[in-house]
Amino acid sequence: MMEFLTAGYNGYAVKYSPFVNDRLAVATSANFGLVGNGRLYILGLTANGIVLLRQFDTQDAIYDTAWSELNENQVAVGCGDGSVKLFDLSGAGNGPVQNWHEHSREVYATSWNLITKDTFATSSWDGSIKLWSPQRPSSILTLPTHSCTYSTAFSPHSPSIISSVTSDSHIRIFDLRTPASASNHLVQLIPIHGAAPVPGSTFATNRPPPTQPSECLTHDWNKYRDTILATGGVDSIIRTFDIRNPRQPVALLRGHEYAVRKLAWSPHLSDVLMSGSYDMSVKVWSDGTAVGSYGSHPGIRGPRELGSMEAHTEFATGVDWCLFGAEGWVASTSWDSRVLVWDVRTVMAPHSYGP
């Protein structure tokens, strides 16, 4: 396990570069993101440990970051003052090359379009998702969610599908190919906890008994199955949904003691995902759908926890998988001001990967 200390700044998000296997972007904030500055760290992974390559300071907290899929030197961040900034690692200065300020509240999520690679999305506590191009001085499109939006993501399978999860306990799915006039591109509104707390939810009648709605903080699309996504939030349960039939979750993954703050499906294995939680642990799971994965074992089937990394000493807020090389390498960050790079296979219980 490799470690880097973001002294004086608490971690909020970590992302591997989509171009190389030895570079990380880490979004951090002073004073746990409650007040004060933010700092974006660009870290290099070397044989001698993790080294600082660049750092960029902002006047307010940085809550999330996303690498450009088109330019290996550009990174977008979302800030506590509602601004969205684009930094260029190849430039000499420390200021952003673009600075947009259209959101009116904290920007909690950034997601780059993995297909066309020329746009990215942000979501905010102001109840909106905005679509941006690095080349344009203002946003391309605004999608209203009418609820504090903690997480937004482009589908990795379609350039036109954007999803979000919100404080009202719903998954929203937008299709930019649909007419904007009817419902601002909204094509699905899926209640996460059973019966709908707001009107208009899909399958609002004839539903199974509801669980108590609570805020949803994170979600991610499966990288191999284009209709599967996972959600996590305040009730500490990870749910997987198939948007073709979202009447109830496909799987429930229980094991965290407190809220689930960040989810990431594996880019290598279709059934494996990772979660960071306010219980300070980072857990690895199988949703029980694949044979021949980490979780394959003659006597064990179904959704289950595969392992837990508990080296962090504060909220585990950011997790990400390395796209390259051995399939188990990941990075995590936390309010403990540490970035850890480690192999998930080192925390697997013996029964998780075979006799």
Side-chain angles (χ1 to χ4, degrees), residues 75 82 92 97 142 173 206 211 241 247 300 312:
V75 187
V97 294
T142 299
I173 298 177
N206 299 320
T211 52
F241 288 88
R247 295 173 187 266
I300 301 174
H312 284 297

Side-chain angles (χ1 to χ4, degrees), residues 241-295:
F241 288 88
D242 189 330
I243 63 173
R244 296 170 299 181
N245 183 21
R247 295 173 187 266
Q248 60 187 16
V250 178
L252 298 177
L253 299 170
R254 302 176 187 267
H256 281 299
E257 297 178 19
Y258 296 109
V260 178
R261 178 62 176 78
K262 184 65 176 179
L263 289 174
W265 284 97
S266 168
H268 307 289
L269 299 165
S270 67
D271 68 313
V272 173
L273 67 159
M274 175 172 52
S275 58
S277 168
Y278 288 166
D279 66 11
M280 308 184 204
S281 71
V282 177
K283 294 184 184 294
V284 185
W285 312 81
S286 170
D287 71 356
T289 58
V291 176
S293 174
Y294 293 142

Side-chain angles (χ1 to χ4, degrees), residues 114-115 153-163 171 173-175 177 187-188 190 219-230 240-245 250 265-266 270-271 287 289:
L114 300 177
I115 307 298
F154 272 101
S155 166
H157 309 281
S158 169
S160 306
I161 303 294
I162 300 175
S163 57
I171 303 166
I173 298 177
F174 300 88
D175 189 337
R177 296 167 295 189
V187 293
Q188 279 185 286
I190 302 169
H219 78 302
D220 194 33
W221 289 89
N222 188 282
K223 305 304 187 289
Y224 292 89
R225 293 171 285 155
D226 61 3
T227 62
I228 302 295
L229 51 79
T240 65
F241 288 88
D242 189 330
I243 63 173
R244 296 170 299 181
N245 183 21
V250 178
W265 284 97
S266 168
S270 67
D271 68 313
D287 71 356
T289 58

